[in-house]
Amino acid sequence: MRVSKITGIAAGIAAATLLAGCSAGGGSASAGTQDITVWLYPVIADETMHKDFWDTTIAAFEKENTDVNVKYEIFPWANRDEALQTAIAAGKGPDLVYLVPDQLAAYQKSILPLNDLLSEERQGDLLPNVKTSVTIDGDILGAPVLTSAQPLICNAAAFEAAGVTEYPKTWDDIIEMAPKFTEKGMYALNYPASAENTLNLTYYPLLWQAGGEVFTKDGDVGFDSKAGEQALTFITDLAESGALDPEALTTNVPLEQTAIAQGKVACTWNNGVTEVAPFWGEENVKVLAPLTDKETVAYGTVGSLSVLKGSKAPEAAAAFAEYATGADVIEPYLKAAGYFSALSTTEPLYADDALLGEVEKYVPDTTVGELNASSRALMGVLAPEIQAALLGQKAPADALKDAAAAAAPILKK
């Protein structure tokens, strides 16, 4: 594998490859050298492999750019915003930091736009939906590292048990097939509604498929709309008819304890193929296009490297960001982490993988949604209202109206 090659290269760089927090080039900076610091997070679960990638990448970059000295630190995901906010406020933030879309909105005032720092060629190579996901007010706020996709995946064995021969393409298809699954003691869809689950993987895809939006262009609430009500009604009607696992609406349990693991769920868009394959059997995992109502769209995240305005060497930081996210450089990183390329010029990474290769096809159909600094706070008030509707405690229209009222004081425009 390509990844094992990284480990071998990194091992051969001897003293030049140090632990996180140290320069991969080693030694103190010589006169005229620009120092840049990069803050990263454990995207690759294997810590050694993750460090090896960055050690090797930095060493190669420094070999071509002898006047730049790159240091990096790997922070835990937990409390990452608190650490970054504190550093920025104290004037001690990094030159370059890994951010996801809602963070781009939250830190917009602290991020240096890359419009004039990222090459026109690279900007042109970005997938259109990926470029949109890192752009606010016309400013490109990050050099994309990776992207993901959450299309519809269905369990062929469950369909066979229910006697259903056609896989769903639309909401109407789900409604039509649902009774056949409930008759067999199974569920048409997986829908985890407890508050700790991100709406990016539950309600928002339905909202987008209905042609709706989370935020309006003016930064106001957008979900309290006809499309929002249609999306919530679709899922609440399924819950009322028994087509959703009632336990998943109230509790969050390990995957191995869920109806998915028991083979009782027909389809899901909030799980990955590698998660369900051990329970369904790889041969039963069917990767399909995202569901359609008015639009065909799924959620997919985008991770990017952003240059902060406090950087004393922004050009060097941007140069490293462009180098590290180049197609040839980033490919082993993506495959080790199970993510996809953000570039339209990259050849398929998973052509030899029956499952991920299918998921990869739907990367262009994904979105991160609207970028707004209030995204996380909004979920905190919207998720409980959606759950209340799913439990039959509120009508969909009332739940969305109440969520919109609660959201008004927390919106940041």
Side-chain angles (χ1 to χ4, degrees), residues 115-126 131 322:
N115 302 51
D116 297 327
L117 295 174
L118 206 60
S119 71
E120 291 184 6
E121 180 180 10
R122 173 57 58 80
Q123 292 182 43
D125 287 346
L126 295 174
K131 186 174 182 179
E322 178 154 353

Side-chain angles (χ1 to χ4, degrees), residues 148-156 159 164 166-175 177 181 187-192 200-202 205-206 209 234-235 238 244 260 265-276 280 284-293 295-300 340 354-363 365-366:
S148 67
Q150 297 285 152
L152 188 70
I153 55 177
C154 296
N155 184 350
F159 274 73
V164 179
E166 297 289 333
Y167 291 109
K169 296 180 181 179
T170 67
W171 291 9
D172 287 342
D173 292 340
I174 294 291
I175 293 169
M177 76 180 200
F181 286 90
Y187 307 106
L189 293 175
N190 180 54
Y191 194 96
N200 286 329
L201 297 181
T202 54
L206 296 175
Q209 289 163 14
F234 167 67
I235 203 72
L238 289 173
L244 305 181
I260 286 183
V265 172
C267 301
T268 176
W269 64 81
N270 37 63
N271 298 97
V273 291
T274 55
E275 288 182 295
V276 301
W280 295 357
N284 288 317
V285 180
K286 302 302 176 185
V287 180
L288 307 167
L291 285 173
T292 299
D293 184 47
E295 306 287 344
T296 301
V297 61
Y299 176 76
F340 306 105
L355 297 183
L356 288 175
E358 287 299 306
V359 175
E360 189 171 26
K361 296 177 182 178
Y362 297 107
V363 168
D365 296 324
T366 65

Side-chain angles (χ1 to χ4, degrees), residues 320-339:
F320 177 71
E322 178 154 353
Y323 176 85
T325 59
D328 292 339
V329 174
I330 203 64
E331 179 181 337
Y333 180 88
L334 297 174
K335 296 185 76 170
Y339 285 98

Side-chain angles (χ1 to χ4, degrees), residues 94-147:
D95 297 274
L96 203 59
V97 59
Y98 180 95
L99 298 176
V100 293
D102 62 353
Q103 290 177 304
L104 295 181
Y107 295 104
Q108 181 180 2
K109 294 181 180 179
S110 300
I111 298 173
L112 186 67
L114 295 176
N115 302 51
D116 297 327
L117 295 174
L118 206 60
S119 71
E120 291 184 6
E121 180 180 10
R122 173 57 58 80
Q123 292 182 43
D125 287 346
L126 295 174
L127 287 166
N129 59 325
V130 169
K131 186 174 182 179
T132 298
S133 75
V134 297
T135 303
I136 303 179
D137 299 330
D139 291 332
I140 300 173
L141 299 183
V145 177
L146 57 81
T147 187

